[in-house]
Amino acid sequence: MSQMRLVVVGASGRMGRTLVRAIAEAPDLVLAGAVEPEGSPHLGTDAGVLAGLPPLDVTVSDDALPLFAAAEGVIDFTIPKASIAFAGLAAQARIVHVIGTTGFDAAEQAAVEAAARHATIVKSGNMSLGVNLVAALVKRVAATLDDSFDIEVLEMHHNRKIDAPSGTALLLGEAAAAGRQVALSSHGVFERHGITGARTPGEIGFATLRGGTVVGEHEVIFAGPHERISIGHRAEDRMIFARGALAAARWARGRKPGLYSMNDVLGLADI
Ligand SMILES: NC(=O)C1=CN([C@@H]2O[C@H](COP(=O)(O)OP(=O)(O)OC[C@H]3O[C@@H](n4cnc5c(N)ncnc54)[C@H](O)[C@@H]3O)[C@@H](O)[C@H]2O)C=CC1
Ligand SMILES: O=C(O)C1=N[C@H](C(=O)O)C[C@H](O)C1
């Protein structure tokens, strides 16, 4: 099979630069374009140089559509508003769209779902094998334990992160809720402050920490009577997310339109 031509949007971001390096090291993939928004100081710069590599002869552009039209996939770790716009363009160009962006509200998530009627989209709050395996374990443990075990989801990230709780924390909360056969929307507790009253059985609590350069740490605690189970994951390098996103693009190539997750890519759905 020929090399898969990929466009990286948000190419100057922390993940964008990591993705450019990950594509450069993959013999079956080629960087076909790099996009940043209008006004970015990086427009016109070589995407390889931006990522700390020798030049790749791909300059950063703010004109996504012609690049999408000449590619087979777009890898997108940007912001929700941009990802929705890119979903429309990817559908128009009939290319694979891998979305790693987090922080979507309900309306934005609905817009992605609508785009997936015409586009092949893989979207996940965390593209790493490790976190998706942890999510499968969390679902299993939550299904096994009753409400006498309180579930709390903890996360810590670097001080530049703009959304909370993290996409991964929500993914793990959804896994716990699915195991318990409840909706996260009715059982999730995202803030505690002041005289909150005692914990309601069945709550799924979230706690967010921000500081320094932490790549991403998550822990799900099942706190029961006189014992506590803790399942966690520590990301040590953004390359785990980038390689996961590239695996998603390869998997999605040639698949019919729809909204897929990393469970589909990794074959973890039934664990
Ligand atoms: N699903 C996963 O495995 C992971 C998801 N993320 C998520 O990816 C997103 C990006 O994270 P970082 O790279 O750390 O952020 P960042 O702020 O370093 O990079 C975001 C980039 O997107 C660009 N951007 C914004 N609007 C754009 C537009 N309209 N067109 C083109 N580019 C645009 C920005 O200029 C910036 O370069 C966040 O939502 C984060 O939570 C991050 C790591 C892993
Ligand atoms: O913003 C980040 O950095 C990360 N975002 C994702 C999230 O919101 O969970 C994934 C990873 O933890 C890093």
Side-chain angles (χ1 to χ4, degrees):
M1 206 185 268
S2 60
Q3 282 182 310
M4 187 174 186
R5 293 171 55 79
L6 296 175
V7 177
V8 173
V9 292
S12 80
R14 281 173 288 274
M15 278 306 300
R17 294 174 201 231
T18 311
L19 284 156
V20 168
R21 289 196 293 277
I23 291 170
E25 71 180 27
D28 60 328
L29 305 174
V30 64
L31 184 69
V35 176
E36 272 290 308
E38 197 183 328
S40 163
H42 302 293
L43 295 176
T45 311
D46 186 279
V49 172
L50 204 50
L53 299 174
L56 293 172
D57 290 331
V58 174
T59 51
V60 179
S61 162
D62 60 2
D63 194 5
L65 189 56
L67 297 173
F68 286 15
E72 287 164 276
V74 50
I75 314 289
D76 177 355
F77 288 68
T78 58
I79 54 173
K81 198 172 150 215
S83 293
I84 290 166
F86 290 133
L89 298 182
Q92 218 176 308
R94 304 205 178 288
I95 62 172
V96 166
H97 188 188
V98 176
I99 304 179
T101 309
T102 58
F104 290 78
D105 64 23
E108 290 165 340
Q109 177 62 25
V112 172
E113 284 162 22
R117 288 202 288 269
H118 308 286
T120 306
I121 299 178
V122 182
K123 179 174 180 289
S124 176
N126 196 303
M127 297 280 174
S128 77
L129 170 65
V131 158
N132 286 283
L133 192 52
V134 163
L137 295 173
V138 164
K139 184 176 173 186
R140 172 70 69 91
V141 175
T144 305
L145 301 173
D146 64 20
D147 272 6
S148 66
F149 280 77
D150 298 322
I151 303 178
E152 294 283 311
V153 183
L154 276 63
E155 58 115 332
M156 181 161 188
H157 284 85
H158 54 91
N159 58 21
R160 312 309 298 163
K161 186 161 177 63
I162 60 171
D163 56 309
S166 69
T168 309
L170 291 171
L171 181 157
L172 294 170
E174 289 287 1
R180 285 247 165 114
Q181 297 188 302
V182 298
L184 186 62
S185 53
S186 53
H187 287 68
V189 173
F190 299 96
E191 281 172 32
R192 292 186 181 117
H193 184 226
I195 308 294
T196 59
R199 198 182 193 283
T200 307
E203 279 180 1
I204 299 175
F206 288 81
T208 298
L209 287 78
R210 292 284 176 268
T213 55
V214 176
V215 174
E217 296 190 7
H218 294 87
E219 187 178 1
V220 181
I221 297 170
F222 295 84
H226 318 296
E227 60 181 331
R228 200 160 72 215
I229 299 167
S230 167
I231 307 175
H233 181 269
R234 286 180 184 195
E236 294 173 354
D237 192 313
R238 289 187 175 83
M239 202 47 115
I240 61 171
F241 311 128
R243 293 200 181 115
L246 299 185
R250 290 184 187 98
W251 176 89
R253 193 182 195 183
R255 264 180 217 273
K256 66 177 194 311
L259 183 56
Y260 301 97
S261 73
M262 283 306 281
N263 275 345
D264 299 309
V265 175
L266 298 168
L268 290 172
D270 297 327
I271 286 185

